[in-house]
Amino acid sequence: LIGWAVGDGAEYPGAAPADEGAAPGSAGAAQAAQPISAAPEEAPGASLPAIPSEYLRELHFAYGEVVKAAGNGATDGWWLHGSKEGCQQYVSKKGPRGMPFCAKGSCLVTQKRDDIYDYMNSVEGMTKLEDMFESMAHVGSYDPSSASHLFPGVEVVRCDVVHMVFKSPGPGFPRGDNVTVSLLVVEPSGRGVEITTSVSHPRAPTQPPLVRQKVLMGQIVEPTAGADSPGCQVTLVQFVDPGYYIPGFLVTRKIAPDLAL
C-alpha cells in the first residue's frame, strides 16, 4: 500500500558474513545467542545504511495498527481484562494479519518521556525482561533519517534490529525466537512512539528447533499536560503469533495480560 513512498532502499547493507565453513542457515552461520544487552553505541561520525524498503513498509503498517489500537480503549473488539499495579489491561481476539495474541496496557507514570526510553533501552531495563527471554542480541542499526519521508514533520530518532530467544511459556510448549526492527519517532506534540515488528535478516536465520514467532508491538509515551504533572501516560500494544497452538484460556487469563505489563 505504501510502496510508492518507500523507494528501493538497499537491502541489508553492511550485513556481516557468515562464519567460515558454516553451512547456510546453521547455528554457526548466525550470530551466536548473547546475553541481554543494550545496543552498542555508534562511533562518532559513523554512517549507517538506509533502512531496507521492506522494513519501511512493515514499520509504516505497524505504526498505523498500534496508534489505532492504543486509542480504542475498550471498543472495536477490545475489552477490559482487569487492573494491576495501576495499569489498565485490555485483551482482544482481533489482531492484524490473524495474530491471535492481542493485549494492551495503559498507566500513568511519574518519569519524563526521555527518561523512560533511556531506561527501556539500558542494560538495567532490559534485564527486567529476563523472565521472558533467554537472550537478546543486537543485529544491526540503520539511518533513521531514511524513514523521514514516511513521517513528515516527525523526528525519527533511531532504528535497530535485534534477535530474541524466548523461554518456553510452560511444560510441553517449544521455545521460540524472532527478529524485529524497531523505530522510535517523536511527534510535534511531544508524544513518543516506538514501533517494533518482525522481519527477516541474514545474520539471524531460523534455527530449528526454535519456532520463529511474529510480533507487532508499540510503546506510546505521551507527556501529561501542566507544570504540576511532569509524568507521562504510557500505553503498550502487543500482537503476537507464537507459531504454534496455545489454548485460548491460557492466552486470555495469563499470557496476554502479562504481555501488556
Side-chain angles (χ1 to χ4, degrees), residues 10-261:
E11 302 300 318
Y12 314 118
D19 294 341
E20 298 235 356
S26 68
Q31 177 172 324
Q34 314 229 343
I36 295 173
S37 60
E41 295 289 338
E42 297 295 331
S47 60
L48 295 174
I51 303 172
S53 59
E54 65 184 83
Y55 288 9
L56 289 173
R57 285 191 290 270
E58 292 300 314
L59 287 165
H60 194 271
F61 174 79
Y63 179 88
E65 292 295 321
V66 165
V67 171
K68 179 177 67 175
N72 282 344
T75 64
D76 195 25
W78 292 91
W79 68 90
L80 181 64
H81 183 274
S83 300
K84 184 177 181 181
E85 299 177 359
C87 292
Q88 300 295 310
Q89 302 170 315
Y90 301 85
V91 293
S92 175
K93 296 180 180 179
K94 186 180 180 181
R97 297 174 176 170
M99 291 184 172
F101 290 9
C102 312
K104 62 182 178 180
S106 181
C107 60
L108 186 65
V109 300
T110 58
Q111 290 81 9
K112 295 180 180 179
R113 183 200 66 207
D114 292 346
D115 292 340
I116 293 171
Y117 283 121
D118 288 345
Y119 175 78
M120 287 194 301
N121 289 280
S122 68
V123 173
E124 180 184 3
M126 289 184 178
T127 55
K128 298 294 185 181
L129 303 174
E130 287 181 339
D131 287 343
M132 294 179 61
F133 300 119
E134 287 187 4
S135 66
M136 179 185 297
H138 182 261
V139 176
S141 296
Y142 295 94
D143 178 8
S145 67
S146 58
S148 296
H149 59 293
L150 293 181
F151 304 94
V154 173
E155 180 186 5
V156 186
V157 180
R158 65 169 177 267
C159 182
D160 296 292
V161 178
V162 299
H163 176 224
M164 294 173 285
V165 177
F166 297 90
K167 296 179 179 179
S168 168
F173 295 103
R175 293 158 57 238
D177 74 333
N178 66 35
V179 179
T180 57
V181 59
S182 297
L183 187 75
L184 172 60
V185 303
V186 178
E187 300 171 347
S189 65
R191 183 175 76 165
V193 182
E194 185 163 26
I195 300 300
T196 300
T197 187
S198 292
V199 293
S200 60
H201 195 284
R203 289 182 61 186
T206 303
Q207 300 179 49
L210 295 176
V211 177
R212 182 57 54 94
Q213 301 177 347
K214 297 179 181 179
V215 301
L216 188 160
M217 59 180 289
Q219 300 93 18
I220 298 179
V221 181
E222 189 160 9
T224 54
D228 295 332
S229 302
C232 295
Q233 185 75 31
V234 179
T235 303
L236 170 65
V237 177
Q238 295 206 34
F239 301 103
V240 181
D241 181 352
Y244 53 84
Y245 172 74
I246 292 182
F249 76 89
L250 186 59
V251 175
T252 57
R253 294 182 185 177
K254 173 65 177 173
I255 298 177
D258 284 351
L259 286 175
L261 288 175

